[in-house]
Amino acid sequence: MNNMVNRSHSFVVLRPSHRLVIQFTLVLLYRLACDWFAWQTSRQFGQYGIATVGSPFSSKYFLSIAVLSVTAAVYSAFLNRRLDVFDVGLAFLFLTSYVPVTVAWWITAGSDSYFGFVTLFWVSILSLSIGVRWKSPSLPLLGGGYTKIFSIIYSAIIIYLGILLYLRFGAPVLTDFGSAYTLRAAFNEWLPKGLLTYLFSWSVYVFAIYLLIISKEILFKLIALIFIMMIFSASGNKVYILMLPILLFLHLISVYGFAWLMAPTMAVGVVLAKIIFDLGEVWIPTFVQRFLIMPADIAFRYAEYFREPLLYSYSFLSPFFTYRYDDLPGKLIGKAFYVSGDNATAGFAVDMFTNLGWIGLPILVVFFVALRRVLTPGAHLVLLLPFVIQLIDTPLPTALLTGGGGLMIAGAFLISRHRILVKPSASTSGSAAVRRSLGTGT
């Protein structure tokens, strides 16, 4: 088995310096693909496009390439040393949230201060991941048996929520993606308030993913898949469906040591989206625009609009600080730059920047370092990937609470202390062989 894995990964036999150069080059090619798409296509999405203020012949463009070259070099070294699934998730977040920011910075002539903030964050967290050998604290191992109990509880919750969906929406199958926004508005209007609001969000990001990944019983996995299809058809939220292939992709490249393939795969996807858009089809290009370019554009809108730290005065810190605006930040950005009524949500980095300023930088770094510190490496960390994916366009506090990130971290923490689940399977043994041939480890 190990010989098969080693033969199937010819990339790993290259010298470390050669791998670094290849990975560095692939990131730059992905960046150029994003440049091409954003400059030629993004502005054609009307009010959801990107304002092309800058020029690809400006000094800011070449400075953005230079800055990305530094972070790409650190990222390439990071890939050579960290191959567990959480690190793959971090690499994915770098490619989806930071590289597009380097594009939006020169195109929109965006905030230099925010660009410096997010660049220092990524250089810091990737450098720490390279320079520090993570060691989990010595904590007692928990007894076995609780994972099946969780599966039963999560299945019961999902069945209950599925019955609520069926009674309200029936069993529709969404085939017209153009009606997704109409469905989402109707779903949000119907969505029960209070605890059920959180349960519907957690049901996909936490409960269903837990059943699909951790539970061994086919029945639990079928319940999770059926529920995901039901809530997708009822709400029109494409993230619920797109998250599954993304999770599978990240999990597989983690298991088989193909983390370096993320950048070229995404570059090819962006180029194909540009070609498809030129041929008159808009659905796939819209996904690229909404998933990669718009979050970066929204980030600079936030940095431009809110010049003084908000201090979370519109949310959980409202009793302590005065909020100076008449609507929530996302609504204000939607009204000012996009379509009135839109809720332009901020990603994790710009949310921290607009609320806490530069004080938010060490808080973010400490959070990710602490998270890595308390979790032992293993395949169970795939449970954290939905949380990581949400951070692209979701504030950290929202992803932790409403998005179920806190539950995901708690679940991964408990499972990391479970002897049975952290035993290597055949696939993870193959992954270990790849890491040995790379001269790396987890």
Side-chain angles (χ1 to χ4, degrees):
M1 174 66 182
N2 290 349
N3 290 336
M4 290 176 62
V5 173
N6 286 330
R7 285 198 300 270
S8 64
H9 296 81
S10 58
F11 180 77
V12 303
V13 303
L14 296 173
R15 293 181 179 179
S17 59
H18 294 170
R19 291 199 303 270
L20 284 172
V21 172
I22 292 174
Q23 288 163 171
F24 174 83
T25 304
L26 291 173
V27 173
L28 291 187
L29 290 175
Y30 166 59
R31 157 61 199 266
L32 293 176
C34 290
D35 282 336
W36 185 43
F37 183 92
W39 181 252
Q40 295 290 332
T41 305
S42 291
R43 55 184 172 181
Q44 299 184 48
F45 282 90
Q47 289 176 294
Y48 294 108
I50 189 169
T52 53
V53 177
S55 166
F57 304 103
S58 65
S59 58
K60 200 163 191 174
Y61 175 81
F62 293 103
L63 181 59
S64 72
I65 292 288
V67 173
L68 178 63
S69 297
V70 174
T71 53
V74 181
Y75 167 84
S76 300
F78 168 81
L79 284 190
N80 274 355
R81 295 177 63 87
R82 296 284 180 175
L83 289 176
D84 70 46
V85 69
F86 180 78
D87 296 314
V88 169
L90 265 185
F92 179 76
L93 189 61
F94 171 84
L95 294 173
T96 53
S97 70
Y98 178 69
V99 175
V101 161
T102 68
V103 176
W105 182 58
W106 72 264
I107 282 188
T108 65
S111 165
D112 296 342
S113 183
Y114 171 65
F115 184 63
F117 176 94
V118 70
T119 298
L120 282 177
F121 164 76
W122 280 109
V123 169
S124 299
I125 197 65
L126 293 177
S127 298
L128 283 171
S129 299
I130 295 169
V132 176
R133 184 171 182 176
W134 306 114
K135 293 174 67 176
S136 297
S138 178
L139 295 172
L141 289 165
L142 299 178
Y146 62 87
T147 53
K148 190 166 186 178
I149 295 176
F150 283 162
S151 297
I152 294 172
I153 294 173
Y154 291 168
S155 295
I157 295 173
I158 281 178
I159 290 172
Y160 169 68
L161 297 178
I163 292 172
L164 291 182
L165 285 175
Y166 180 78
L167 292 176
R168 171 60 180 84
F169 296 99
V173 176
L174 180 61
T175 56
D176 179 16
F177 291 103
S179 64
Y181 295 106
T182 304
L183 284 173
R184 189 178 305 174
F187 178 80
N188 290 335
E189 184 178 348
W190 166 82
L191 189 64
K193 305 303 179 186
L195 179 60
L196 280 176
T197 300
Y198 293 101
L199 283 179
F200 270 103
S201 178
W202 297 345
S203 64
V204 178
Y205 292 123
V206 183
F207 305 154
I209 298 302
Y210 182 95
L211 294 177
L212 288 173
I213 295 172
I214 300 301
S215 296
K216 297 180 181 179
E217 290 78 2
I218 297 298
L219 177 61
F220 290 146
K221 297 181 185 294
L222 286 175
I223 290 173
L225 284 173
I226 292 171
F227 178 77
I228 290 174
M229 292 301 299
M230 286 184 65
I231 197 170
F232 165 67
S233 296
S235 68
N237 193 336
K238 294 186 283 292
V239 173
Y240 293 151
I241 290 295
L242 293 172
M243 181 176 60
L244 295 180
I246 292 175
L247 287 176
L248 179 62
F249 172 68
L250 295 180
H251 180 59
L252 289 177
I253 64 176
S254 169
V255 168
Y256 292 105
F258 281 152
W260 61 275
L261 273 178
M262 280 191 292
T265 300
M266 294 173 68
V268 170
V270 172
V271 170
L272 288 177
K274 171 66 173 70
I275 296 172
I276 290 171
F277 183 85
D278 292 341
L279 294 175
E281 178 57 54
V282 297
W283 190 82
I284 293 178
T286 298
F287 169 72
V288 173
Q289 172 72 7
R290 293 293 183 92
F291 190 68
L292 295 178
I293 307 302
M294 271 201 71
D297 184 48
I298 290 172
F300 285 108
R301 302 296 193 185
Y302 267 80
E304 174 186 344
Y305 195 92
F306 302 108
R307 298 300 180 95
E308 297 181 7
L310 297 176
L311 302 175
Y312 292 106
S313 55
Y314 54 89
S315 58
F316 58 94
L317 292 182
S318 57
F320 306 100
F321 302 102
T322 301
Y323 186 55
R324 303 184 299 274
Y325 301 93
D326 59 359
D327 210 341
L328 293 174
K331 295 288 187 180
L332 292 171
I333 297 299
K335 186 187 305 181
F337 299 104
Y338 301 103
V339 176
S340 181
D342 283 355
N343 184 26
T345 55
F348 77 102
V350 73
D351 171 74
M352 195 66 68
F353 178 75
T354 54
N355 278 286
L356 300 180
W358 283 89
I359 296 176
L361 178 60
I363 292 176
L364 273 181
V365 173
V366 168
F367 171 80
F368 279 95
V369 169
L371 185 61
R372 200 64 183 87
R373 179 81 174 167
V374 300
L375 297 174
T376 56
H380 60 280
L381 294 184
V382 71
L383 290 173
L384 295 181
L385 290 183
F387 167 66
V388 173
I389 293 171
Q390 287 182 73
L391 292 178
I392 297 171
D393 62 353
T394 304
L396 180 59
T398 303
L400 285 171
L401 182 60
T402 307
L407 288 176
M408 297 177 211
I409 293 169
F413 177 79
L414 291 173
I415 292 171
S416 68
R417 268 70 191 163
H418 192 331
R419 291 185 187 277
I420 296 174
L421 285 178
V422 297
K423 284 182 179 179
S425 61
S427 60
T428 54
S429 296
S431 179
V434 174
R435 286 193 291 272
R436 285 194 298 270
S437 65
L438 274 168
T440 62
T442 54

